[in-house]
Each structure stands twice: as structure tokens, then as C-alpha cells.
Amino acid sequence: MPTSRSPVRVSVVIPSFNHGAFIGQAIESVLAQDVDLELLVVDDASTDHSRDVISSFSDPRLRFLPQAENRGPSAALNVGVAAARGQYVTALGSDDFYLPDTVRTQTSFLDGHPQYDAVFGLPRLISESGTPLNAGYQEFSHPFIGKNATRFEWLRHFFLNGNCLCHPTVMMRRRVHNAVGLYDLRLLNLQDLDLWVRMLVRGLMFFVLPVELTARRTFANNQSLSNRSLPTALRTQFELLQVLKAYRSLSVSDLGEIFAQELRQVRRPDMRSAGAILATIASHSRTAGMQYYALESLYESFAADRKADCRPLFALAARLDPFGLHMRRT
């Protein structure tokens, strides 16, 4: 968005909520980067001493944007992105921190690779106290680290395997948000995956550097949204179904290429519509959520055709059991 301030190279957005014990380290790690940048800290109505810590910094590069009410991380991110003036935009968790030369590594890559709209790296997993963990990258492991993966490879991977990219390691060109919009306020766990999918659907591309860029804190008591408590798992399954709706806007030919491997294993796959293809792929999943997604995708595919033969939908709805009715009868 337009602003009277002069532009800067990089805008770093930190959405902050009740991380008074960690926000100071996060801010210091940004201000220590040797790149022309601005830091926008959006405090989402913290009730601890976070605001005191943030206010203690007098660096002119820091812009403090305190919010009157708590609305969640997506809203806080959107406030920061909307106020950002940088050519590149990146987000950092208030309980995480940058490693040395993180921002320079990312800007150098994007400067030299104009075909990419965003660049990711790897997280360095640390404990709540900051001790390095040797548990690997867990959900951030994927086959495309340091590889020039295609847009279709990414779309296939996200659909079949879920998210594998660490949000606090991303740097995007400003034009990404101009093209696909801001973070979805309705999503709490998968607002980042939703953005990655929307980017790919619009034809934007990204790359994952095989280097650690951000220290990512892991809490033993499930304070982090990405930790798999039952409430988090339930919410994540619901949000995933919303994110995957974007695939319905892809063409039949694109989906045929994305899921070529899976479709070859299906006898006479229904290729009449995007919804039919997605239903074919999702119906082979064992998860109740994906089975429901299969039914909904096929149902929606018939919405505009008053003369449609809906018998495949009737048959699929009688075969899949996303509501667990079979288990209740046994």
C-alpha cells in the first residue's frame, strides 16, 4: 500500500502475542542483520510484558504497531504486511530468531533469480530454552530442498502430504501479496499453506535453500500452534479441507499432469471435470476428511450442469464413510 515513507530493501514483520520472554531476542536478531530493512512488530494485544520489551528498543528501523484487541496471527500479519514498504517481505515468529546473515542470504538469492517469487530455507529446531534439538526437521522434510521443483510437483506434494515449508524461513517479493492477497483471517494453523497453494495456483514459484536460516522454538507443553495437540489436529483437518478448495480452480489438463502417477493406477478415471479428478484422488485416502473432500468436490462439479448424470456421486456417497457410520454399527 502507498506510504509517504521512502521504500526500503526488506520489511520484516513480527506478529507478537504473549512472548515477552522471547520477543527481545527475535527483535535483536533482525536488527543485527546487515541489510537495509525495517522491522514492523505487531503486538496482538498481549497481556504479559511483551509491550514493555518492544518499547525498550529505540532503533529507528523498528516500527511498533500495537493492536487494541487480540484477533489472531493472520490479522496481525496482515497489519504488518499492509504497512510494509520493502521490496521484499518476510515474517518471523515472536518466539523465533534469525541466524546470522539470514536476510542477506535470501535477498542475494532473489536478486539473482528473478524467476522465483519467494525463497525458503530450513529451520534450526531449538528447545524452549534455546538448546539445539537433534530431532531432524520433522514436518519440514521434503524432496525438494535445493531442487528446482516444478509448480506441479509442489501442488502434488501439498495435496498428498500437506505442508512441508517453515513459514518463518520465507522471504517473498512484495508483488506476491499484491497478486494473491493477504493471509486468510479464518485460518489459524494453515494460513501459510493456504498462501503457498494460492501462489502456485496463480503461477508463482518458490525455491528452498538447503541452509538453516531461522531458529524455531519448540515447546514441550504444546504452546506452539504447530505442535500436535488434539484441538490443533482437529482444527488443522478442517482448515486443510478449506485450503484444498483452491485446487478446483485448476484446469482438467493441469490436474491430469499433477496427478498423472495416481491416475494411471485408476481404471477408467473420471476426467470430465476438476472436481471429478480431485474426487478420484481424494477418495483413495483413508482419512475421513479427505473422503469428505472427495464427496464435496464431486458434488460441486455437478452444480452448473442441470442435465448432469449424477449417478457417480450417488455411488461414491454410498461407498465412502467420512462420518464413521460403519464404526457406530459394529
Side-chain angles (χ1 to χ4, degrees), residues 26 66 107 113 164 203 207 211 218 224 226 229 256 266 271:
T107 55
H113 299 82
C164 60
F207 190 87
V211 294
T218 300
S224 174
S226 59
S229 64
V266 178
M271 304 289 289

Side-chain angles (χ1 to χ4, degrees), residues 59-276:
D59 194 300
R61 294 172 294 173
L62 190 155
R63 297 166 61 191
F64 183 23
L65 304 174
Q67 302 301 292
E69 59 180 335
N70 179 263
R71 298 176 57 210
S74 293
L77 281 166
N78 287 346
V79 169
V81 171
R85 300 173 289 119
Q87 174 188 4
Y88 301 130
V89 180
T90 181
L92 177 67
S94 55
D95 55 341
D96 302 325
F97 59 87
Y98 282 150
L99 301 178
D101 295 324
T102 289
V103 176
R104 184 172 296 282
T105 297
Q106 293 174 304
T107 55
S108 295
F109 179 86
L110 290 174
D111 286 345
H113 299 82
Q115 71 272 32
Y116 291 107
D117 300 279
V119 60
F120 292 80
L122 302 178
R124 176 180 295 176
L125 302 183
I126 60 174
S127 68
E128 182 175 351
S129 64
T131 303
L133 299 176
N134 297 317
Y137 296 113
Q138 301 174 13
E139 70 265 36
F140 305 117
S141 297
H142 58 83
F144 305 139
I145 296 175
K147 176 185 174 184
N148 186 21
T150 69
R151 171 173 163 251
F152 287 173
E153 285 177 319
W154 277 114
L155 283 166
R156 177 180 180 271
H157 186 88
F158 287 147
F159 191 93
L160 299 177
N161 302 289
N163 195 19
C164 60
L165 298 174
C166 184
H167 188 206
T169 72
V170 70
M171 177 179 286
M172 295 177 284
R173 300 184 192 276
R174 174 70 192 187
R175 69 189 185 210
V176 169
H177 286 295
N178 294 337
V180 305
L182 300 173
Y183 294 91
D184 191 330
L185 297 176
R186 301 166 294 179
L187 303 178
L188 182 63
N189 295 99
L190 299 184
Q191 73 270 47
D192 52 351
L193 176 61
D194 175 65
L195 186 60
W196 317 152
V197 170
R198 282 190 280 139
M199 288 173 61
L200 293 166
V201 168
R202 288 291 299 270
L204 306 183
M205 276 301 302
F206 38 74
F207 190 87
V208 182
L209 294 171
V211 294
E212 294 178 341
L213 296 176
T214 304
R216 184 177 182 275
R217 209 175 300 270
T218 300
F219 293 88
N221 59 355
N222 286 335
Q223 289 183 25
S224 174
L225 284 176
S226 59
N227 284 327
R228 291 296 181 259
S229 64
L230 179 58
T232 296
L234 291 171
R235 186 169 54 237
T236 297
Q237 285 301 307
F238 169 75
E239 292 186 3
L240 179 62
L241 301 188
Q242 312 315 308
V243 171
L244 295 184
K245 288 180 180 179
Y247 283 74
R248 296 176 193 164
S249 65
L250 294 166
S251 68
V252 168
S253 60
D254 282 353
L255 289 171
E257 290 189 51
I258 292 168
F259 298 112
Q261 179 179 336
E262 287 69 32
L263 292 171
R264 282 195 295 268
Q265 301 173 14
V266 178
R267 184 184 179 191
R268 288 190 236 174
D270 189 345
M271 304 289 289
R272 287 177 294 179
S273 66

Side-chain angles (χ1 to χ4, degrees), residues 43-46 48-56 64 66-68:
D43 186 80
D44 197 23
S46 291
D48 66 355
H49 64 292
S50 293
R51 295 194 176 194
D52 292 335
V53 175
I54 300 166
S55 299
S56 69
F64 183 23
Q67 302 301 292

